[in-house]
Amino acid sequence: MNMPYTMVPPGQHRLPPLPYPYNALEPVISSKTLQLHHDKHHKAYVDGLNKAEISLVQARERKDFEYVKYWENELAFNGSGHILHSIYWTIMAPPGTGGQPGPNTLYQINNYFGSFNAFKEQFTNATEKVEASGWGILTWQPTWRRMEVLQSEKHQNLTQWSGTPILVCDVWEHAYYLDYQNRRGDYINAWWKLINWYEVERRLAWAINALVPLTLNGT
Ligand code: MN
């Protein structure tokens, strides 16, 4: 049997390259912010995920699970951080190049939220009001065959199982503080200008039809 995808072995995750230069998202997101965010912050989640997986391999080999709770926590936090950042880079594009919401995206948004503006208002408010560090997330929930807007604290809390993130907005301070200081709302309003609606449409089509996981670039 031919397997279309092969597994990522434990500890073998890699930082995916940015799909554009550091300055591509200016003036919404500065080159300095993008470089630090990708090269340092995202990298740390990749490293943390690899370390957690290797540590759990060792725990299984040694039959020593004294620290299993700690490593499972690291697995959830860093694994979710790696996945969400990998999506975040791809659903953004240089201002003016991301097109408009695609037909499936608009259909599913209208179908559940009633209108694009109703969705956008909920997403914007939910994202702005994430407590401390986290994300605003538009998911496809296959269990209910529709979209939903969720907040995620840190990377992994307050989510619904089995949902697939379609559109994600990082509101950790490292995503905006150099450019917007404490004005999280200004960052989110400007961030809408960066959406790569072609990629959102592609992700949604994949999620609705998914039989196998979407391979993330670099994983
Ligand atoms: Mn981040």
Side-chain angles (χ1 to χ4, degrees), residues 76-175:
F77 175 79
N78 291 288
S80 295
H82 175 35
I83 287 169
L84 287 173
H85 283 90
S86 298
I87 298 168
Y88 178 67
W89 310 130
T90 63
I91 57 82
M92 296 190 292
T97 69
Q100 299 294 320
N104 286 322
T105 302
L106 274 184
Y107 175 83
Q108 294 296 344
I109 284 175
N110 288 330
N111 193 39
Y112 185 59
F113 299 100
S115 71
F116 184 82
N117 281 339
F119 151 69
K120 187 175 178 180
E121 283 185 37
Q122 183 180 343
F123 188 97
T124 298
N125 275 277
T127 304
E128 184 171 1
K129 291 167 187 169
V130 168
E131 189 168 306
S133 298
W135 300 74
I137 301 177
L138 173 68
T139 62
W140 174 256
Q141 178 50 270
T143 313
W144 302 315
R145 297 161 303 284
R146 59 168 170 78
M147 291 173 156
E148 189 54 277
V149 167
L150 297 167
Q151 294 177 316
S152 179
E153 291 177 9
K154 297 198 283 184
H155 304 304
Q156 75 280 27
N157 294 345
L158 299 184
T159 51
Q160 283 177 348
W161 288 103
S162 87
T164 300
I166 302 298
L167 179 66
V168 299
C169 183
D170 188 341
V171 287
W172 282 59
E173 287 185 347
H174 65 225

Side-chain angles (χ1 to χ4, degrees), residues 5-215:
Y5 299 101
T6 54
M7 79 165 193
V8 178
Q12 295 297 307
H13 301 279
R14 293 191 305 272
L15 180 67
L18 280 177
Y20 32 67
Y22 293 126
N23 64 359
L25 304 182
E26 289 185 343
V28 177
I29 295 175
S30 68
S31 182
K32 186 69 176 173
T33 291
L34 198 56
Q35 184 168 6
L36 284 168
H37 197 173
H38 176 268
D39 294 5
K40 303 298 182 186
H41 293 279
H42 187 173
K43 174 72 159 44
Y45 301 130
V46 175
D47 293 344
L49 175 60
N50 286 331
K51 188 173 180 185
E53 290 179 351
I54 293 299
S55 298
L56 286 162
V57 167
Q58 292 170 349
R60 292 194 292 273
E61 289 171 347
R62 295 170 186 161
K63 302 186 185 300
D64 175 5
F65 292 99
E66 183 177 0
Y67 297 107
V68 67
K69 183 178 174 186
Y70 173 79
W71 290 119
E72 294 286 352
N73 189 314
E74 288 289 293
L75 196 62
F77 175 79
N78 291 288
S80 295
H82 175 35
I83 287 169
L84 287 173
H85 283 90
S86 298
I87 298 168
Y88 178 67
W89 310 130
T90 63
I91 57 82
M92 296 190 292
T97 69
Q100 299 294 320
N104 286 322
T105 302
L106 274 184
Y107 175 83
Q108 294 296 344
I109 284 175
N110 288 330
N111 193 39
Y112 185 59
F113 299 100
S115 71
F116 184 82
N117 281 339
F119 151 69
K120 187 175 178 180
E121 283 185 37
Q122 183 180 343
F123 188 97
T124 298
N125 275 277
T127 304
E128 184 171 1
K129 291 167 187 169
V130 168
E131 189 168 306
S133 298
W135 300 74
I137 301 177
L138 173 68
T139 62
W140 174 256
Q141 178 50 270
T143 313
W144 302 315
R145 297 161 303 284
R146 59 168 170 78
M147 291 173 156
E148 189 54 277
V149 167
L150 297 167
Q151 294 177 316
S152 179
E153 291 177 9
K154 297 198 283 184
H155 304 304
Q156 75 280 27
N157 294 345
L158 299 184
T159 51
Q160 283 177 348
W161 288 103
S162 87
T164 300
I166 302 298
L167 179 66
V168 299
C169 183
D170 188 341
V171 287
W172 282 59
E173 287 185 347
H174 65 225
Y176 64 87
Y177 212 84
L178 285 177
D179 302 329
Y180 297 87
Q181 291 78 52
N182 62 323
R183 291 174 282 113
R184 182 185 274 185
D186 289 354
Y187 155 69
I188 297 166
N189 286 330
W191 172 83
W192 284 104
K193 300 172 190 162
L194 299 177
I195 307 302
N196 181 348
W197 291 109
Y198 305 106
E199 177 64 10
V200 171
E201 181 82 352
R202 192 188 73 83
R203 288 190 61 76
L204 178 64
W206 165 76
I208 291 174
N209 296 299
L211 296 175
V212 289
L214 178 65
T215 50

